[in-house]
């Protein structure tokens, strides 16, 4: 989910800006994350992907897997 948000962050920002500029809409969009926050999310994704690979490796020791 985090990876998908990173890929679509530009589009999410455009949609939020469009909603904010639409005067007929009474909905107040949430604030878009900053560039620094996006960088932090990318670092978190990298850390989590490493942990995911380790978890997969440890769990696969119990089962036979053909690679």
């Amino acid at each position: 989910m985090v990876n998908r948000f990173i890929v679509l962050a530009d589009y999410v920002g455009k949609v939020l800006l469009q909603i904010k500029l639409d005067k007929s809409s009474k909905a107040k969009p949430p604030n878009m994350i900053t560039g620094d926050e996006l960088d932090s999310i990318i670092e978190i994704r990298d850390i989590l992907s490493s942990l995911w690979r380790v978890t997969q490796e440890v769990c696969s020791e119990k089962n036979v897997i053909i690679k």
Side-chain angles (χ1 to χ4, degrees):
M1 181 171 50
V2 172
N3 193 44
R4 190 71 174 154
F5 177 78
I6 292 168
V7 171
L8 298 175
D10 290 335
Y11 299 108
V12 171
K14 289 177 185 178
V15 169
L16 292 176
L17 181 61
Q18 195 173 38
I19 292 171
K20 193 173 204 171
L21 294 175
D22 185 13
K23 301 296 181 190
S24 64
S25 175
K26 295 184 190 241
K28 184 178 181 226
N31 294 329
M32 181 57 179
I33 63 172
T34 64
D36 290 336
E37 292 170 333
L38 187 58
D39 289 341
S40 296
I41 290 174
I42 291 170
E43 288 179 31
I44 290 169
R45 180 212 42 200
D46 295 341
I47 292 168
L48 290 176
S49 67
S50 298
L51 292 173
W52 180 79
R53 278 180 284 189
V54 169
T55 303
Q56 290 295 97
E57 189 66 32
V58 169
C59 290
S60 68
E61 291 178 0
K62 297 177 184 177
N63 301 319
V64 177
I65 297 178
I66 299 174
K67 290 186 179 185

